[in-house]
Amino acid sequence: MAELGKVLFLGSILRLWMLLISVSNTHAAGADGSIVKEEFMYPNGTLRSPWRMHTLFSVECHVYFDWQTVGIMHSFRKSGQPGPVTRLLSCTEEQLQGYRGMDLAPTHKVPSMSQHPITGDWYPAINKPAGVVHWLNHNKDSENVDWVLILDADQIIRHPVTPWALGAEKGKPVAARYGYLIGCDNELAKIHTKHPDLCDKVGGFILMHIDDLRKFAPLWLSKTEEVRKDKEHWATNITGDIYGEGWISEMYGYSFGAAEVGLRHKISDEVMIYPGYIPAPGVEPLLMHYGLPFNVKEWRFAKLEHHDDDLVYKCNHLFPAPPYPDEVERTQLDRNQLRAELLSIECINTINEGLVFHHESHGCPKFEDSDYIKFLKKNALEEAQRLPAQQLYYPRIHTLFSAECTPYFDWQTVGLVHSFKQSKQPGYITRLLSCTDEKLKTYRGMDLATTHIVPSMSLHPLTGDWYPAINKPAAVLHWLNHVQTDAEFIIILDADMIMRGPITPWEYGAEQGLVVAAPYDYLIGCDNILAQLHTRNPQACSKVGGVLIIHIDDLRRLAPFWLHKTEEVRADKAHWATNITGDIYQQGWISEMYGYSFGAAEINLKHKRRSDIMLYPGYVPHWGPPRLLHYGLHFKVGDWHFEKAEWREQDMTNNCWQQFPDPPDQATLATTLSSEERDRDIISIDCVRTLNEALHLHHVKRGCRVPPPQLEALQTSNQDKDLAIKMKLQDAQEGGRKGGKTSRLKHMKTMLKENSQLAFKRTIPNIVSPKLWMVWLWAFSVCFFLIMVSALFSKSKVSVSRLRKSKI
């Protein structure tokens, strides 16, 4: 037996397991021929996991579900999915007496509810929530689990589906998007849940914490019954069910039940795919759901056509063989379509492999050595050898960033959250929003990010000191004290950052007791009297900042010191000088940074400085492409430049179609640049383009109406850019003559403001359609006519009154 396993350690406390895989010629070792060390196995032959995981799938005792069971069980073993698996078998007592498939999978028997015991309604889909509820109440395995993965029987597991890889959290399960569940948006949700705004259109697979499942499962069942009874709202235009017969009532039961207990989902479009669909570029699906017909050229497969096929108990019966992969690769020129066809082939071959091993292990005669059987066995052997030699340990992580309720932080929030999604960062992101009660009443940016509101400490409640930077440690401490999280590692960022890839503790080497951060070498106070005054362990002071990857237990110990030391250094005005702090402004602005370093030193928290994790745009990337861009400093590419402080007063998020001046195109970069300088400029361009892309998507989401004169707006933008460049050159020339007293920034702001106002005035007539102008013109004419008539009538009335008086 060839050893394929290794021992992984994540830090001093994380010990992982070793997996040995081998396939014998007779496949006597297991259904897929793999052999695993007993110490890493559960008694039922499934893999252990770093957290206690359990996989469930629901079936009935019928041959239709038996061949699906063989397929999903074979894929379960091949994929290395951690934890045990249980089949929830819904059967009547009469059906159980003649049932032949009890050995197909570890099984929990569930009383059948296909025919409802009270209403008599025939609805087999209700067995899924009924089976989960029964398992929770009657199976001891449910008492020894943290996470539950719920699948359908007609699915194939390609790779492990785990909470640490998908970022599931307690209170936030992960599921696939089922966009056709339109009942979440109409009266159906309003009728069946008190929280229609929390209804998520999800299904396919569910990865949920056991505590959430215990609260939610009874409602899943009761809401399914409730929606099933509501025949008045079975219509397709209300439910999205193309059959209009209430078949998807169980799906709505799930969504409405989850909404009822306040569960919000992390919705993934990349975990599961239907065979025949084309996966997104760069996406490797973890699950295949063969619920719909699919084909590869003339060959096709539809599961309903095999409803009564006895493939499991009739020896050596398989599904019709699909084309061989190499044949498709030679003839399919469309690479995207090729990916879809190879997945379709893999799906049916996986089921057939499971059937081959099942028949051989149940005493059937050996298959004839046809080309297809040889291919299946060879393919199974090669896939087993390609399986990961170890189950990687991915701890749950959560990303935090602090902001204030101002337009300045709003556009930064839009940029960071957009880049977070693009980076495929695991876990969730939360904005720590520091705001006063007065500002919150008029604040319009609550929908920009998942938000935890924090009382503002910009104006210190005790000293009256105005220091907004203190909100960062204050917000982190507030979040720790008011939010329950099961995340093991916390990533702490600033709002003025752009993520370009995932930032994870396992890649950068963070451990409990060892924080990863970017080097901030200008914090010279760690080496002088400042550290000696403000920490008992000056030798433990680390010059770090920017980004923090920290274990939750370390953060809980650190946060109070971080806040306290920030206040302490801020109050120490006697040592604000540049030669002591390194702060070029000598205003104590970086007191929060020292508060972190001194607080960490106080508890002897060690740091790993990683220069490759973060880069300021405008700097040369010496350590390869950075995962994080921190645009806190001025940077430029040729004559174009960007400085965030210039946009402090601009409301970029609430004014439609606001964007930053476009950076130059990469193709226009000077050919004389070195490769490092070219990389520097490309990163700078990418930073602002990401911000503009985020703003554009934000305005689209907000429903901004696109003005017709797109071209004129673009020309205006280009004119503004040209004006900025000209002003820069002019100021540079005048600066030499006038001693540099002219403020380029002030002139540029004024001119850009005038230009934008002029552009806005030019676009107003164009925004209004000709029909609307006609309406206004008619309205104006009618009003004018009525005013004239009224005036004439009043004049006539006055004349008559005077005539009467004169007669008297």
Side-chain angles (χ1 to χ4, degrees), residues 72-181:
I72 193 173
M73 286 301 300
H74 178 62
S75 70
F76 178 89
R77 299 184 186 102
K78 282 180 62 176
S79 67
Q81 174 69 20
V85 61
T86 296
R87 173 180 61 163
L88 306 177
L89 182 66
S90 299
C91 272
T92 65
E93 292 298 328
E94 293 76 16
Q95 289 172 326
L96 273 176
Q97 290 176 6
Y99 182 60
R100 298 173 288 172
M102 289 304 297
D103 65 334
L104 297 181
T107 299
H108 175 78
K109 290 182 288 186
V110 180
S112 175
M113 279 189 65
S114 296
Q115 187 164 19
H116 198 281
I118 298 176
T119 65
D121 178 38
W122 179 258
Y123 183 55
I126 201 172
N127 285 315
K128 186 175 181 180
V132 171
V133 171
H134 195 275
W135 179 79
L136 288 169
N137 292 332
H138 297 88
N139 196 303
K140 290 185 178 180
D141 287 344
S142 67
E143 301 171 4
N144 189 37
V145 62
D146 299 312
W147 290 92
V148 178
L149 173 65
I150 303 175
L151 303 176
D152 290 334
D154 57 343
Q155 292 182 337
I156 295 297
I157 309 173
R158 302 182 69 240
H159 302 287
V161 182
T162 59
W164 50 92
L166 300 185
E169 295 187 38
K170 190 174 180 180
K172 293 181 180 178
V174 180
R177 186 188 308 277
Y178 270 20
Y180 62 83
L181 296 178

Side-chain angles (χ1 to χ4, degrees), residues 190-210:
K190 296 175 183 177
I191 292 171
H192 295 292
T193 175
K194 292 178 289 187
H195 307 289
D197 54 313
L198 301 183
C199 184
D200 289 330
K201 303 174 185 176
V202 294
F205 75 96
I206 306 297
L207 184 58
M208 182 180 288
H209 195 275
I210 187 65

Side-chain angles (χ1 to χ4, degrees), residues 328-511:
V328 178
E329 289 173 352
R330 286 196 303 268
T331 57
Q332 180 55 261
L333 301 180
D334 186 331
R335 309 313 294 177
N336 290 325
Q337 185 61 36
L338 174 62
R339 292 183 67 207
E341 292 182 357
L342 290 177
L343 284 173
S344 298
I345 293 170
E346 178 189 332
C347 177
I348 201 67
N349 281 345
T350 302
I351 301 174
N352 276 344
E353 282 174 17
L355 288 169
V356 168
F357 297 149
H358 169 76
H359 290 311
E360 288 191 352
S361 64
H362 283 70
C364 288
K366 278 197 172 183
F367 278 87
E368 294 181 8
D369 284 337
S370 65
D371 290 340
Y372 183 58
I373 297 300
K374 290 178 181 177
F375 166 78
L376 286 181
K377 290 185 176 182
K378 180 183 177 183
N379 188 52
L381 176 61
E382 291 176 350
E383 286 185 353
Q385 291 175 342
R386 283 199 302 267
L387 284 175
Q390 65 279 331
Q391 298 294 313
L392 295 180
Y393 180 85
Y394 292 127
R396 293 183 292 269
I397 62 179
H398 198 114
T399 302
L400 302 176
F401 71 98
S402 61
E404 300 168 43
C405 48
T406 65
Y408 181 56
F409 281 96
D410 285 355
W411 63 256
Q412 295 177 39
T413 296
V414 168
L416 177 55
V417 171
H418 171 69
S419 68
F420 174 89
K421 297 174 182 176
Q422 296 292 104
S423 70
K424 301 189 184 302
Q425 172 74 3
Y428 292 87
I429 187 169
T430 296
R431 171 179 61 165
L432 308 179
L433 185 66
S434 300
C435 213
T436 63
D437 291 337
E438 291 74 19
K439 285 188 175 181
L440 269 178
K441 294 176 183 177
T442 58
Y443 181 60
R444 295 186 287 170
M446 287 304 298
D447 62 335
L448 300 181
T450 303
T451 300
H452 175 73
I453 300 174
V454 181
S456 175
M457 279 191 64
S458 297
L459 187 67
H460 198 284
L462 298 179
T463 65
D465 178 38
W466 178 258
Y467 183 54
I470 201 174
N471 283 317
K472 186 175 181 180
V476 170
L477 183 60
H478 192 277
W479 182 80
L480 288 171
N481 289 332
H482 293 80
V483 173
Q484 289 186 351
T485 179
D486 60 355
E488 287 192 67
F489 281 89
I490 307 297
I491 315 297
I492 301 179
L493 305 177
D494 289 334
D496 57 344
M497 290 181 171
I498 294 294
M499 299 185 70
R500 306 175 80 236
I503 298 172
T504 58
W506 52 88
E507 184 171 357
Y508 287 97
E511 303 173 9

Side-chain angles (χ1 to χ4, degrees), residues 788-805:
M788 292 298 296
V789 169
S790 176
L792 291 172
F793 180 77
S794 299
K795 186 175 181 182
S796 174
K797 188 174 181 180
V798 170
S799 300
V800 171
S801 176
R802 287 178 178 175
L803 181 60
R804 289 176 178 174
K805 287 181 180 180

